[in-house]
Structures are given as C-alpha cells and as structure tokens.
C-alpha cells in the first residue's frame, strides 16, 4: 500500500494543472489504476487519510473524489472500514423472472447464499392479500442473503403460500434458491415486478456493506402458478453493485 500511494503522489504531482480540479485528478488516477488492472475487484484503496497526507489535499477534496467514484460504481465504500474496488455490477432482466444463482454463475462468478431466517409465521393483512390466504393463517417466510464473489448483491425476504410448497421449510437454500424449488413444485405462469429506489435500514446497510445513505434498488416481486398467487418477495440490491436491464422491439413495449 505504501508503494501504491507513493506512486499515486508522484503521478498526481506530474499532472498538476490549474485547468483540472484536484478532485478530478484524483478520480482520474484511481480510475486508471482500476482500468489498468493494478487495482482489481475487491482490492482495498488507500484510506482517505493516506490520500490527504500523500497528495497534500484537503479531506473535503479527497472525500468528493471518492464519493463520486462510488456513485459511478467504480469503488465501494464501507462505513468505518474503507474503500474497495467494486465488483463489476451484476444485472437482472427487468421484464423476466430469473434465478439469481444462475445469473451470477453465467457471469463466471462465485455464488454464495446465507440463510438469515426460515420458518412459519401468521400472515399480516398485506401479505395475506398478496398471496391469497386468510389473515392470521400460517405462511412460510425466508430471509436470505445472496453474494457474488463474496460481495452481497441481494437481500431476499420472501413469503410463500404453504398450499403450493408444503416442503419449503425443509429445503437447504444455501444449496439451491427458493426460485429453483418453487419452479419445480409450482411452475411460474405469471410474474409481477414493482421497482423503486429506497434507502436501506441500519440492518440492511450492515448486511449489504453499504453506507446508510446509499440508494438501493428494491424489487417487489409476486409470482403466480396455475392462476393463483404463490409467493411475494422483497428483493433489495445495493445500487452501486446492481442494475436492471430490459429490451423490447418497436411496437411491442413491455407490459
């Protein structure tokens, strides 16, 4: 790290110019290190204090450079820990329902899952209405964290109608996803996505490894099988590490 920051300081001084703002030069230098492969996905960057001391800049200038790099998705900032080269953004099709494990592996990356909770609980009014059960009746609920190359890309909070998936609570969701199991026992014939930008709760920001002020992508997904609602899921993604994509032909926009 000492060699890295020394080299950056030298390059920064070589490019000193009144025409280019200092924060912009810091951004350019960091971007070049990443693009050139010197800093790779997951690598730690020098700390703000190291940038300040070595480049002779104010903390405000360095903070602006790092903040904008994070907003552009090049780096990931973890509160109280530091800044890291961001993992290339994962993506999901906006108009289709896919298995997140397959998406990650299709990119040639490592997929992992951690189960936070798996059990049965009474259905609240909203959940009951969304999956077609009587309020207060037992429903299945799972909370799972999905990771790509060690970085969390989704927190999944799912409610399932027990009538369609009686074996749900017996599954090992570190081995296969709820999507895979439900596709087998209740084949999908309809899906619905509602997407919005939200700020994570303190628990969610800790799980995602993001600052609480970082916008996240929230997908509210409902699925049906044989004409009846099967599950409803709240899928939260860190905005700096995930994006949604969609395509359609002229005259046939997505419904």
């Amino acid at each position: 790290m000492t060699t890295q920051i020394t080299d950056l300081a030298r390059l920064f001084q070589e490019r000193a110019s009144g025409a280019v703002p200092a924060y912009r030069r810091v951004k350019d230098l960091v971007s070049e290190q990443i693009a050139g492969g010197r800093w790779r996905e997951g690598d730690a960057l020098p700390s703000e204090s190291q940038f300040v001391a070595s480049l002779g800049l104010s903390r405000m200038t360095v903070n602006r450079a790092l903040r904008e790099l994070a907003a552009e998705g090049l780096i990931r900032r973890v509160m109280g820990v530091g800044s890291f080269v961001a993992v290339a953004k994962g993506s999901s099709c906006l108009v289709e329902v896919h298995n997140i494990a397959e998406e990650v592996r299709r990119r040639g990356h490592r997929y992992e899952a951690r189960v936070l909770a798996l059990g049965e609980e009474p259905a609240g009014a909203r959940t009951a209405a969304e999956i077609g059960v009587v309020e207060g009746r037992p429903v299945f609920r799972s909370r799972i964290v999905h990771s790509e190359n060690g970085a969390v890309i989704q927190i999944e909070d799912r409610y399932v109608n027990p009538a369609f998936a009686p074996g749900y609570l017996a599954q090992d969701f570190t081995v296969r996803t709820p999507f895979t199991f439900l596709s087998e026992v209740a084949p999908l014939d309809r899906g619905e996505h509602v997407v919005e930008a939200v700020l994570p709760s303190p628990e969610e920001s800790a799980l995602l490894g993001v600052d609480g002020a970082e916008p996240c992508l929230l997908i509210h997904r409902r699925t049906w099988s044989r004409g009846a609602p099967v599950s409803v899921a709240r899928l939260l993604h860190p905005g700096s590490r995930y994006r949604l994509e969609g395509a359609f032909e002229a005259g046939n926009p997505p419904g």
Side-chain angles (χ1 to χ4, degrees):
M1 184 65 72
T2 302
T3 302
Q4 290 179 344
I5 196 67
T6 300
D7 289 346
L8 281 180
R10 176 179 53 77
L11 289 171
F12 184 82
Q13 294 304 324
E14 289 176 355
R15 301 181 185 186
S17 169
V20 181
Y23 84 90
R24 178 73 251 183
R25 281 188 283 148
V26 175
K27 286 182 63 179
D28 290 344
L29 285 172
V30 173
S31 299
E32 288 171 12
Q33 301 305 303
I34 296 172
R38 185 170 184 183
W39 292 349
R40 300 181 180 180
E41 291 185 359
D43 284 353
L45 271 65
S47 67
E48 273 194 26
S49 297
Q50 288 176 311
F51 275 118
V52 168
S54 299
L55 305 185
L57 300 173
S58 69
R59 186 171 293 274
M60 183 181 298
T61 297
V62 171
N63 183 271
R64 177 178 179 178
L66 297 180
R67 190 173 67 247
E68 291 191 7
L69 286 166
E72 293 166 12
L74 242 68
I75 68 171
R76 176 171 63 95
R77 305 185 77 191
V78 181
M79 186 168 51
V81 179
S83 299
F84 303 84
V85 179
V87 174
K89 275 194 178 184
S91 64
S92 181
C93 182
L94 178 60
V95 294
E96 298 177 10
V97 177
H98 287 301
N99 181 5
I100 190 168
E102 291 179 358
E103 290 178 358
V104 171
R105 290 169 181 147
R106 193 162 52 240
R107 291 191 284 271
H109 292 171
R110 184 180 77 259
Y111 168 79
E112 294 174 320
R114 178 162 62 98
V115 178
L116 300 176
L118 178 61
E120 185 178 272
E121 63 181 66
R126 178 175 176 176
T127 300
E130 289 179 321
I131 60 176
V133 300
V134 176
E135 183 180 353
R137 293 296 297 273
V139 293
F140 299 150
R141 184 184 184 186
S142 58
R143 295 187 70 227
I144 301 169
V145 170
H146 302 276
S147 299
E148 180 171 356
N149 285 348
V152 176
I153 57 169
Q154 184 189 94
I155 300 173
E156 173 188 333
D157 189 355
R158 182 184 298 269
Y159 291 90
V160 177
N161 186 333
F164 286 87
Y168 192 80
L169 298 185
Q171 303 307 305
D172 182 352
F173 290 128
T174 65
V175 175
R176 63 174 176 168
T177 64
F179 175 93
T180 302
F181 175 70
L182 292 173
S183 295
E184 294 173 358
V185 300
L188 176 73
D189 60 26
R190 178 186 167 197
E192 173 188 273
H193 283 158
V194 176
V195 183
E196 58 182 318
V198 300
L199 293 178
S201 68
E203 180 201 16
E204 290 166 341
S205 62
L207 288 170
L208 294 171
V210 300
D211 187 282
E214 177 178 324
C216 293
L217 291 173
L218 174 62
I219 304 174
H220 190 78
R221 175 188 291 171
R222 284 208 294 167
T223 57
W224 284 257
S225 181
R226 298 185 291 277
V230 172
S231 76
V232 58
R234 183 181 186 274
L235 311 173
L236 187 70
H237 303 266
S240 61
R241 299 199 295 274
Y242 212 78
R243 68 172 183 262
L244 295 173
E245 300 176 344
F248 57 89
E249 296 180 5
N252 294 288

